[in-house]
């Protein structure tokens, strides 16, 4: 059976531990587009050195992430029914050492982009040029200074095998006057802004990179 | 006496030349810098020789450690290097989360030690680095006391998959004594106490104890600590032990005490104090202010041993 976006949405509902805290469904859209249309990753060969890398830096509320991993065959769907239970490998933040397909342990904000830069550099240094490294961060996560160290370096370096996807649900306390994309383009990145539920638009934005610069996609949640 | 910056071949020189050789020989090794040691006469040539594996991120220490973690995720063996306070303290959450928590490992090499650049003052001091590594699992810690004690741990670290911290200093003992297997080196046998001198503290300890009836053991690898030899030595000195460490006083107390829970024992812990002295001067001055010069160590030992 081929999983659809609706399959993933229903799977995500199974991760809800407490109905007062529903899943962050807005993250499901870009995750689905990434795993369904962009990432070259095979759940049957999850350690292939030539695979694309996807780093979920924003480790919070990973129900959608777990659902997509289940829909794509990385983890059994029945794991979704016991998130954060005593023996569950699925926590409220993902742990790379416990979940097949999860590339980094996340939770503390601002670690994914520096890790992604290191991996992008490390792949190139080994002559592995096919994969891209994709890092998903949140607009509030962008507050963390480590991201700004990373954005400045990656832009100046011209790190062409890196894409950052910023999920912008307008949660940054002081906002980003002038928009998030300009923060990236000022530092030498290419950037595209797209509505988060527009799957064709997301897929197009996620392939609009050049080989000479890192690329940012800002996926905005409608208020 | 401890020598200072003026020494011809410092530990950092050995680290730089040996790392350059290792980069030539080992295509898996990578080096991440944050401007410190990146210039001419340092790692500039290695950067030209290996542009893909010598990465200077600029003055960005969080990024430096995070990039090292990302290189490890890509299958490389990363070394990150800077002044100890910036490498370990400023970026400590990266040290904590970007290696072991990711299921990977790396090599961190610091310079500056506790107060090597004494003129620079408190911002460049890092007496608490080894204590910080004790709060996270799995790190091997080397504290060489002589430039000839750098190459062995560095080569071993490059060839391993362990997380390794190498704490370089401008201070040095007159001779190298480190045992290649990380065990304590016994330099003298006595009856009243087992005195463990760590890294660059050895010569001051030898000067302070020349006429004392004590065992002197030297440690250049402190994590894991050679507790087996310590237990054997302590058993010959009435389980009376003194630790002289070039970083925070008491850093290794918990290890010594855990190793001797089954035996009544006495422990004197000498090391750097926690105070911000707001003073500059020379490293020898700071030894004196922290009671780590020969006279200070002698005074503490005399009181402890009632001699």
């Amino acid at each position: 059976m081929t999983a659809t976006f609706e399959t993933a949405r229903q799977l995500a509902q199974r991760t809800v531990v407490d109905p007062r805290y529903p899943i962050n469904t807005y993250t499901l859209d870009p995750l689905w587009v990434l795993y369904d249309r962009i990432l070259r990753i095979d759940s049957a060969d999850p350690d292939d050195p030539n695979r694309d890398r996807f780093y979920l830096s924003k480790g919070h509320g990973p129900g959608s992430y777990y659902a997509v991993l289940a829909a794509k065959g990385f983890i059994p769907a029945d794991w979704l029914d016991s998130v954060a239970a005593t023996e569950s490998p699925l926590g409220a933040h993902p742990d790379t050492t416990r979940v097949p397909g999860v590339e980094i342990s996340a939770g503390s904000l601002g670690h994914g982009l520096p890790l992604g830069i290191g991996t992008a550099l490390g792949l190139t240094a080994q002559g592995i040029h096919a994969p891209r490294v994709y890092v998903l961060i949140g607009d509030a996560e962008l507050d963390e200074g480590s991201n700004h160290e990373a954005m400045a370096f990656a832009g100046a370096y011209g790190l062409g095998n890196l894409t950052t996807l910023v999920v912008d649900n307008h949660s940054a306390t002081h906002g980003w006057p002038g928009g998030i994309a300009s923060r990236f383009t000022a530092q030498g990145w290419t950037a595209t802004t797209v509505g988060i539920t527009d799957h064709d638009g997301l897929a197009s934005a996620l392939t609009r990179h050049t080989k000479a610069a890192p690329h940012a996609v800002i996926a905005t949640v409608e208020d | 006496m401890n020598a200072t910056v003026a020494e011809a071949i410092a530990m950092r020189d050995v680290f730089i030349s040996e790392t350059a050789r290792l980069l030539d020989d080992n295509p898996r090794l990578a080096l991440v810098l944050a401007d410190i040691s990146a210039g001419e006469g340092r790692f500039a040539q290695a950067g030209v020789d290996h542009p893909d594996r010598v990465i200077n991120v600029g003055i960005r220490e969080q990024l430096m450690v995070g990039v090292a973690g990302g290189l490890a995720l890509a299958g490389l063996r990363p070394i990150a290097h800077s002044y100890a306070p910036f490498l370990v303290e400023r970026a400590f959450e990266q040290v904590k989360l970007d290696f072991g928590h990711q299921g990977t490992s790396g090599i961190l090499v610091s310079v500056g030690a506790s107060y090597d650049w004494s003129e620079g003052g408190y911002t460049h001091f890092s007496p608490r680095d080894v204590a910080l590594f004790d709060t996270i699992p799995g790190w091997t810690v080397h504290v060489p006391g002589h430039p000839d004690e750098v190459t062995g741990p560095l080569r071993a670290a490059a060839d391993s998959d362990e997380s390794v911290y190498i704490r370089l200093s401008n201070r040095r003992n007159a001779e190298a004594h480190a045992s290649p297997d990380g065990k304590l080196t016994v330099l003298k046998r006595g009856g009243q106490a087992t005195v463990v001198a760590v890294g660059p503290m050895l010569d001051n300890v030898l000067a302070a104890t020349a006429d004392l009836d004590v065992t002197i053991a030297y440690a250049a690898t402190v994590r894991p600590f050679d507790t087996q030899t310590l237990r054997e030595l302590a058993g010959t000195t009435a389980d009376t032990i003194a630790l002289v460490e070039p970083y925070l006083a008491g850093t290794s107390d918990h290890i010594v005490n855990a190793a001797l829970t089954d035996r009544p024992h006495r422990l004197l812990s000498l090391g750097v104090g926690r105070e911000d002295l707001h003073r500059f001067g020379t490293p020898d001055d700071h030894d004196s202010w922290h009671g780590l010069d020969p006279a200070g160590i002698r005074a503490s030992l005399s009181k402890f041993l009632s001699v």
Side-chain angles (χ1 to χ4, degrees):
Chain A
M1 183 193 82
T2 302
T4 65
F5 180 61
E6 179 57 23
T7 316
R9 204 187 59 74
Q10 289 173 8
L11 287 168
Q13 294 299 333
R14 289 169 61 174
T15 69
V16 176
V17 176
D18 184 330
R20 291 174 299 174
Y21 302 102
I23 57 163
N24 293 328
T25 48
Y26 56 81
T27 308
L28 185 62
D29 291 279
L31 284 170
W32 178 257
V33 172
L34 277 165
Y35 276 84
D36 195 53
R37 297 164 71 167
I38 302 294
L39 298 175
R40 288 164 297 176
I41 308 176
D42 182 356
S43 62
D45 190 10
D47 297 323
D48 178 2
N50 286 303
R51 73 192 184 279
D52 287 335
R53 306 305 199 271
F54 173 67
Y55 290 0
L56 181 77
S57 182
K58 177 186 82 79
H60 303 351
S64 296
Y65 184 36
Y66 296 149
V68 171
L69 289 175
K72 291 297 182 183
F74 289 91
I75 61 174
D78 57 13
W79 284 14
L80 302 175
D81 300 323
S82 58
V83 171
T86 307
E87 300 299 334
S88 173
L90 306 182
H93 297 119
D95 186 326
T96 179
T97 69
R98 301 204 61 193
V99 190
V102 166
E103 298 272 12
I104 63 167
S105 300
S108 178
L109 299 174
H111 287 260
L113 201 48
L115 287 169
I117 288 172
T119 299
L121 290 165
L123 292 170
T124 302
Q126 296 172 89
I128 302 173
H129 298 290
R132 284 190 77 75
V133 178
Y134 297 82
V135 181
L136 189 153
I137 68 175
D139 67 301
E141 180 177 12
L142 200 56
D143 290 354
E144 294 284 4
S146 53
N147 287 314
H148 296 269
E149 293 187 2
M151 290 156 70
F153 170 76
Y157 193 90
L159 197 60
N161 56 344
L162 175 72
T163 292
T164 301
L165 174 62
V166 185
V167 170
D168 182 9
N169 66 334
H170 317 292
S171 59
T173 294
H174 297 286
W176 293 102
I180 290 173
S182 64
R183 265 71 184 184
F184 286 91
T185 54
Q187 314 229 40
W189 295 55
T190 55
T192 304
T193 301
V194 62
I196 202 165
T197 57
D198 176 1
H199 289 199
D200 289 339
L202 279 167
S204 170
L206 284 165
T207 50
R208 211 171 293 162
H209 49 80
T210 70
K211 287 185 175 170
H215 185 53
V217 174
I218 293 84
T220 57
V221 177
E222 298 301 320
D223 288 323
Chain B
M1 288 294 290
N2 273 304
T4 55
V5 190
E7 288 293 340
I9 304 293
M11 292 185 197
R12 172 153 54 169
D13 300 321
V14 176
F15 162 60
I16 288 169
S17 58
E18 184 61 24
T19 299
R21 269 192 292 275
L22 290 167
L23 284 162
D24 291 340
D25 296 342
N26 180 353
R28 196 175 151 239
L29 195 67
L31 173 70
V32 196
L33 302 170
D35 275 357
I36 298 291
S37 302
E40 290 302 323
R42 304 286 194 191
F43 278 118
Q45 186 58 46
V48 172
D49 295 342
H50 305 287
D52 286 346
R53 290 186 288 126
V54 177
I55 300 145
N56 179 10
V57 300
I59 306 171
R60 300 182 174 99
E61 288 84 9
Q62 292 185 76
L63 180 64
M64 172 180 66
V65 179
V67 163
L71 288 164
L73 285 166
L76 295 184
R77 181 72 173 147
I79 299 174
H81 162 69
S82 188
Y83 254 77
F86 315 135
L87 177 69
V88 180
E89 297 173 51
R90 188 183 187 107
F92 187 67
E93 194 188 68
Q94 277 72 19
V95 174
K96 179 182 75 167
L97 294 181
D98 294 354
F99 297 107
H101 186 55
Q102 304 299 337
T104 68
S105 61
I107 304 166
L108 304 181
V109 180
S110 73
V111 289
S114 288
Y115 39 68
D116 279 1
W117 190 28
S118 51
E119 310 95 298
Y122 192 72
T123 58
H124 284 61
F125 294 174
S126 185
R128 62 191 69 71
D129 52 348
V130 177
L132 281 168
F133 280 102
D134 276 344
T135 66
I136 45 178
W139 283 82
T140 296
V141 178
H142 298 288
V143 186
H146 188 280
D148 290 350
E149 296 172 353
V150 174
T151 300
L154 185 62
R155 284 183 187 162
D159 286 340
S160 84
D161 283 309
E162 303 294 313
S163 280
V164 180
Y165 176 55
I166 303 177
R167 183 189 213 253
L168 305 182
S169 179
N170 292 330
R171 327 289 306 283
R172 56 185 289 176
N173 304 310
E175 293 176 38
H177 296 283
S179 97
D181 56 2
K183 300 290 187 188
L184 291 174
T185 304
V186 180
L187 298 176
K188 178 177 144 182
R189 295 273 185 175
Q192 286 199 297
T194 296
V195 181
V196 179
V198 173
M201 284 287 99
L202 177 63
D203 280 5
N204 284 4
V205 168
L206 290 173
T209 58
D211 61 341
L212 291 183
D213 175 29
V214 296
T215 292
I216 304 293
Y218 173 66
T221 298
V222 295
R223 301 292 182 274
F225 197 97
D226 177 15
T227 52
Q228 184 186 352
T229 304
L230 180 68
R231 276 176 65 89
E232 292 165 10
L233 296 174
T236 68
T237 61
D239 286 323
T240 301
I241 300 164
L243 272 176
V244 187
E245 302 183 279
Y247 33 78
L248 274 190
T251 295
S252 298
D253 283 10
H254 67 106
I255 289 172
V256 174
N257 284 323
L260 290 166
T261 45
D262 59 330
R263 291 174 7 199
H265 58 278
R266 296 178 67 222
L267 173 62
L268 171 70
S269 300
L270 303 182
V272 179
R274 283 167 169 72
E275 306 80 14
D276 177 358
L277 300 175
H278 293 279
R279 297 179 82 174
F280 303 98
T282 68
D284 284 346
D285 289 333
H286 284 262
D287 278 356
S288 160
W289 296 329
H290 291 283
L292 294 174
D293 60 339
I297 293 168
R298 175 55 185 247
S300 296
L301 278 173
S302 293
K303 189 176 171 193
F304 181 59
L305 300 175
S306 303
V307 292

